Amino acid sequence: MFCLHVCMHACVYVYHVHTGAFGGQKRISASLELELQMAMGHKVLETEPGSSALATAVISYDYLTSLRSVPYGSEEYLQRRSQVHLRSARRLCELCCANRGTFIKVGQHLGALDYLLPEEYTSTLKVLHSQAPQSSMQEVRQVIREDLGKEVLVLAVKQLFPDFEFMWLVDEAKKNLPLELDFLNEGRNAEKVAHMLKHFDFLKVPQIHWELSTKRVLLMEFVEGGQVNDRDYMEKNQIDVNEISCHLSKMYSEMIFVNGFVHCDPHPGNVLVRKRPDTGKAEIVLLDHGLYQVLTEEFRLDYCHLWQSLIWTDMERVKLYSQRLGAAELYPLFACMLTARSWDSVKRGIGQAPVTATEDSEIRNNAASYLPEINKLLNHVPRQMLLILKTNELLRSIETTLGTRSSASSFLNMSRCCVRALAKHRKRDACSFFRRTQISFSEAFSLWQISLHELLLRVKGLRLACWVSALLGWLTQAPR
């Protein structure tokens, strides 16, 4: 896991900070040279001896030599940097495909970070979401024969993928990996989340065929659809991207804040969209149920309080609940990581104004410079938080691709779920009927406030649209 962190994470992030590839300093530091020497000399995966270290060395050398003699910030520098980004991304993609397993999952995760990584990386690595290396039919048939005692033609067999990307997750990997590789457990997770979210008519979880499933073979209903980040597919099939984004927000807010049972691998290859054959309504198809995070009640309630405080700009409570979740003095950074907004925006109120292109660019350019603080923070927060952060990143990446990050719907859905979850907890602990009734009225009033706020935002948006339409009409009719 150390070699994985050095090869992938240091290569894609740390090296670029020191060389200025992501907009940092131009000169390479002595400490980085030592890191690269360690990376190149460290033993890597047994399946491909030396391949990770070699890829790290080649990519590092490419950045160092290609950008060394070019004035930083010049047009030539930007052009060369883009070319090196693309070459490096292709090498990383080849490395992932060669080593498979955990490396595929790393590549899938990096390919979803549109809001953080250069476009050359994300566009190249996105191929791993739907075109990852597959086992041969001979390998598939062998596993099926061993587990079912007969040869069955299966259209889709789940790949054996361990999941964790970062070295902070070693302990979690040891605990969760056996469950991820147990397809009976995956089938149970699928049925549990389908039952848990059965009130969402827009969600489809493929049915499990238990009679043909074992710990190593999972046979599921085949469901077609396009990837959730495929805007062309949605336009062709007349699926509203804003509706899909809103549905995703509702679904994951319910999982995280209300139920504490969270699907933690929502990269675009695992979330499909389609028109329902019977009703023609838009539907989300959720795949790959091997990795779920079960949140403790204490964590879930603290996380509810924190998001409520962020949404309503209660900075004292933001500090309190961030520190309860292990952020300590780094609570401003923690708030920025959770919201993907600048600290100034957090203090003004994340619901007051949508994220702008300038703010998005600032976050993208500055993220790598905070790696030491981010590393320290991730070593102190509860282990449950790591997969929640990963899930947030993947969902935010989908919103970025769909162009719906500026919408307030996700915050409104989260706020509703927080209100419901906290009210349910208070009513359970209430000692009298009067107190429970009081909490119910308070809950109803808070939900009404959120709905009123949503209505005002819609009216404001419609009014603005009318003004823009009228202005465009006047400009087209004005004499020239």
Side-chain angles (χ1 to χ4, degrees), residues 197-204 247 276 281-283:
L197 302 180
K198 62 183 179 181
H199 55 290
F200 289 148
D201 61 358
F202 58 78
L203 175 62
K204 170 70 175 177
H247 286 344
R276 284 185 58 169
K281 292 183 177 180
E283 186 174 58

Side-chain angles (χ1 to χ4, degrees), residues 319-378:
K319 179 179 180 180
L320 170 65
Y321 286 103
S322 294
Q323 292 180 338
R324 282 177 63 94
L325 289 168
E329 76 281 358
L330 294 174
Y331 74 90
L333 176 61
F334 187 49
C336 294
M337 288 172 62
L338 283 177
T339 60
R341 301 295 298 271
S342 68
W343 180 236
D344 286 339
S345 294
V346 171
K347 290 188 292 184
R348 284 195 303 266
I350 54 178
Q352 296 301 311
V355 61
T356 63
T358 302
E359 182 183 359
D360 206 37
S361 176
E362 177 188 344
I363 293 170
R364 183 190 291 263
N365 291 334
N366 293 339
S369 63
Y370 287 98
L371 275 179
E373 291 82 4
I374 292 172
N375 185 66
K376 180 181 178 181
L377 179 62
L378 293 174

Side-chain angles (χ1 to χ4, degrees), residues 66 79 125 345 446 451:
S66 299
Q79 185 177 2
L125 295 171
S345 294
S446 295
S451 296

